[in-house]
Amino acid sequence: MSVFTKVSHSELQEFLRQYPVGELLGFQGIGEGVENTNYFVDTGDGRWVLTLFERLNYADLPFFLGLMEHLATRGFPGAMPAHTHDGQSLTTLNGKPAALVRRLTGQSVLFPDIEQCRQVGRALAELHIDGQSYSGRCENSRGAAWRRETGRLIAPKVDADARALIEDELAAQETLDLAGLPQGVIHADLFRDNVLFVDQRLTGVIDFYYACNDSLAYDLAVTLNDWCFGSDGELNPARWEAMLSAYRSRRELTAAERAAWPLVLRAAALRFWLSRLHDWVFPRGGDMVHIKDPNQYRRVLEHHRNTPPPAF
């Protein structure tokens, strides 16, 4: 979450008149994240998060908002989108598509403990199970084609060692067929800053704006790569075991997923190394823009290339 598009008090007041949420009491920009403009908004009817979509395909936005509503109505701890007086969840503000969703309680954790990792593993499995009944479809905008294109775009802009690593990994990934693995709705960005806790209790999963239809094992790999590695690229085996076991207690991996697992972990690491490199090489303007360290995911990728994953 970042602030690329400024919103004034009067503009937000006018925007909120579309919704049955009461009068505006206050708002502030959110500096974390990298893609959309986000504000915390307080009104007479509660606390909200306002998102202005900066780069997402407008046609895909009903998928994300519909998924959030689908999951919330099934008891999943996700935010429920607000509806305007005429029943719309997708609107516009300052020329950008916009949505208002309930702000969930809790805080993200930087250093998760074992129980928190277990809860994230179970929540991800529940998302995969509940998502099977969601009829919407959306392709992964950061899938294999994006990774190939972005790697080729970035390669001339980085040093020789990084360029060689990108090219070698892209060649290795040509043997991975994620489409041949079990598919479903995935979060695709279930990092620590997208999960909220009150003490040991998981209270919210947020930021579904990379959600799509893709490999379930890939989504698990994305999540493990963030929650179970330090910024130095070192694996925390206890977190890994807790999260993976909790996920498998609700959804077991298939034989095909197990066979592909080492390359799936590498694909998930490559995706975030490339996206962070892209933001580093081609920075975007805006207030409170947050760019994450690309080398963290280079180290995770190198770990997976050099070390077999823990046995199931």
Side-chain angles (χ1 to χ4, degrees):
M1 302 177 183
S2 296
V3 175
F4 302 101
T5 300
K6 292 184 179 180
V7 176
S8 70
H9 189 276
S10 60
E11 289 167 342
L12 185 53
Q13 273 188 319
E14 182 64 26
F15 172 80
L16 290 174
R17 291 195 179 101
Q18 301 174 89
Y19 296 89
V21 298
E23 289 298 314
L24 175 63
L25 302 179
F27 71 105
Q28 67 181 65
I30 305 173
E32 293 81 12
V34 295
E35 286 296 323
N36 302 311
T37 290
N38 290 270
Y39 290 91
F40 288 136
V41 177
D42 293 327
T43 74
D45 189 39
R47 313 193 77 186
W48 309 87
V49 175
L50 168 66
T51 298
L52 283 73
F53 301 100
E54 299 288 347
R55 298 197 292 190
L56 292 173
N57 185 342
Y58 187 90
D60 292 336
L61 297 178
F63 171 89
F64 305 132
L65 298 171
L67 174 62
M68 293 165 67
E69 189 159 343
H70 175 88
L71 294 172
T73 57
R74 281 156 179 77
F76 186 82
M80 176 68 80
H83 289 249
T84 62
H85 293 292
D86 58 358
Q88 302 301 309
S89 59
L90 180 62
T91 54
T92 60
L93 175 58
N94 288 358
K96 302 290 176 66
L100 190 69
V101 303
R102 279 284 182 189
R103 183 177 173 183
L104 302 173
T105 60
Q107 300 289 330
S108 58
V109 294
L110 184 59
F111 301 104
D113 62 28
I114 298 304
E115 178 56 28
Q116 289 165 334
C117 288
R118 288 195 189 98
Q119 292 198 36
V120 172
R122 283 194 293 269
L124 182 61
E126 294 294 345
L127 189 159
H128 291 168
I129 293 166
D130 290 344
Q132 294 294 318
S133 57
Y134 182 55
S135 60
R137 290 203 58 81
C138 181
E139 296 302 313
N140 187 349
S141 64
R142 300 294 175 96
W146 177 90
R147 293 191 290 274
R148 289 192 297 270
E149 179 182 349
T150 304
R152 292 173 185 139
L153 179 67
I154 290 173
K157 307 287 187 179
V158 297
D159 63 48
D161 287 345
R163 181 165 61 252
L165 179 56
I166 290 170
E167 291 171 350
D168 188 70
E169 187 59 32
L170 286 172
Q173 290 291 321
E174 291 295 331
T175 66
L176 175 64
D177 179 21
L178 286 175
L181 303 178
Q183 303 286 297
V185 173
I186 69 170
H187 186 283
D189 192 29
L190 196 60
F191 280 34
R192 289 172 234 191
D193 56 358
N194 287 331
V195 182
L196 307 177
F197 290 89
V198 173
D199 297 325
Q200 298 296 102
R201 181 171 60 91
L202 190 156
T203 56
V205 173
I206 61 174
D207 201 354
F208 279 84
Y209 302 123
Y210 279 115
C212 57
N213 297 91
D214 206 332
S215 159
L216 302 180
Y218 171 80
D219 204 21
L220 178 59
V222 167
T223 309
L224 286 163
N225 279 348
D226 178 69
W227 286 80
C228 303
F229 280 87
S231 59
D232 57 0
E234 290 298 314
L235 173 67
N236 184 309
R239 290 185 196 169
W240 181 281
E241 172 60 24
M243 183 172 291
L244 186 56
S245 296
Y247 180 90
R248 293 174 61 202
S249 73
R250 298 294 294 118
R251 178 191 170 268
E252 185 57 273
L253 275 70
T254 66
E257 288 173 313
R258 290 170 180 250
W261 187 233
L263 270 178
V264 174
L265 288 165
R266 287 163 59 174
L270 178 65
R271 175 261 187 264
F272 286 96
W273 183 35
L274 290 177
S275 63
R276 292 184 180 188
L277 273 176
H278 184 277
D279 290 343
W280 195 268
V281 172
F282 304 104
R284 297 164 63 194
D287 291 347
M288 301 172 64
V289 176
H290 182 60
I291 299 177
K292 297 183 178 180
D293 177 17
N295 287 323
Q296 178 180 353
Y297 267 84
R298 175 176 178 166
R299 291 188 283 269
V300 174
L301 174 60
E302 289 174 332
H303 173 94
H304 289 315
R305 285 168 59 93
N306 297 327
T307 308
F312 284 97

